[in-house]
């Protein structure tokens, strides 16, 4: 099946942990397919045993500044993107990956939820959003009990209407028909708190997502470990 974008694949380094027939679609932040999202995809594969697939929704473009990333995200047609992701899901299913999950970060978190509203054959078994919600034209109340939903949001996230505490609360209220809904809040964290590489920390400080006077790599490690552990456990539970 021909796909409309390039897809990177990541397999668990320890093959003894492999979950047969399980694949997780990993969805990018507004930056695009950079080293941070690739590291997340490999980390998820290693710790769940599922193959992770990383579709390039920007089709080769990457944002290096907030202005560039905002331009790319603004120009992404979400309806087209979700239709393309449905094609990817059907392609994975045809390859024998009958247990599908999705996880996204920032923009990708919203896309993960949006995909869960649309994908019915086969449905996602689990969708995880890390600090992102959907635009109004993707109604999360349509997510059925076939799909489990998990979310991770920072209590100090200031992305109003998208990933701030009010957006997280609204999402939780609207997920009435999904199964095994778990929306976690991390009171002292800002946006994108799972990103701990040098470039991401620099950008988080530049954008005011984290206090410039702290050292996020060490001071946030316990919170990141807790969130990642919840993610791995949840995905294994629903895909194994």
């Amino acid at each position: 099946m021909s796909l409309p974008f390039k897809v990177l694949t990541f397999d668990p380094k320890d093959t003894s942990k492999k979950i047969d027939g399980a694949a997780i679609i990993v969805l990018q932040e507004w930056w695009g397919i950079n080293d941070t999202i690739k590291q997340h995809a490999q980390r998820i594969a290693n710790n769940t045993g599922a193959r992770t697939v990383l579709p390039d929704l920007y089709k080769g473009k990457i944002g290096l500044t907030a202005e560039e990333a905002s331009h790319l995200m603004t120009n992404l047609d979400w309806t087209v993107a979700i239709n393309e992701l449905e094609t990817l899901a059907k392609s994975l299913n045809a390859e024998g990956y009958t247990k599908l999950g999705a996880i996204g970060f920032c923009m990708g978190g919203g896309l993960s939820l949006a995909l869960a509203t649309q994908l019915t054959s086969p449905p996602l078994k689990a969708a995880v959003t890390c600090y992102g919600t959907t635009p109004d034209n993707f109604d999360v109340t349509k997510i059925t009990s076939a799909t489990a939903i998990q979310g991770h949001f920072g209590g100090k996230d200031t992305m109003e209407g998208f990933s701030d505490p009010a957006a997280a609360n609204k999402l939780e209220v609207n997920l009435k028909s999904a199964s095994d809904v778990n929306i976690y809040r991390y009171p002292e964290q800002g946006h994108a708190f799972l990103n701990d590489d040098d470039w991401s920390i620099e950008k988080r400080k530049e954008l005011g997502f984290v206090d410039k006077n702290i050292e996020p790599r060490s001071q946030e490690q316990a919170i990141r470990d807790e969130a990642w552990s919840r993610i791995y456990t949840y995905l294994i539970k629903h895909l194994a």
Side-chain angles (χ1 to χ4, degrees), residues 180-233:
D180 197 13
V181 176
N182 290 276
I183 305 298
Y184 295 103
R185 283 84 164 175
Y186 303 84
E188 298 303 312
Q189 305 311 116
H191 193 71
F193 64 87
L194 288 173
N195 295 347
D196 61 352
D197 58 282
D198 290 342
W199 184 86
S200 292
I201 288 174
E202 179 184 336
K203 291 300 179 185
R204 288 172 61 203
K205 289 189 173 185
E206 177 186 307
L207 294 168
F209 295 164
V210 66
D211 192 316
K212 293 182 178 181
N213 298 317
I214 75 166
E215 202 298 289
R217 185 172 290 103
S218 60
Q219 290 179 251
E220 297 178 329
Q221 189 64 53
I223 293 295
R224 280 195 303 276
D225 287 347
E226 179 180 41
W228 280 120
S229 177
R230 286 168 168 169
I231 289 167
Y232 305 146
T233 300

Side-chain angles (χ1 to χ4, degrees), residues 164-179:
D164 66 327
N169 293 341
K170 180 180 177 182
L171 173 66
E172 187 171 39
V173 169
N174 287 335
L175 290 171
K176 298 173 182 177
S177 299
S179 68

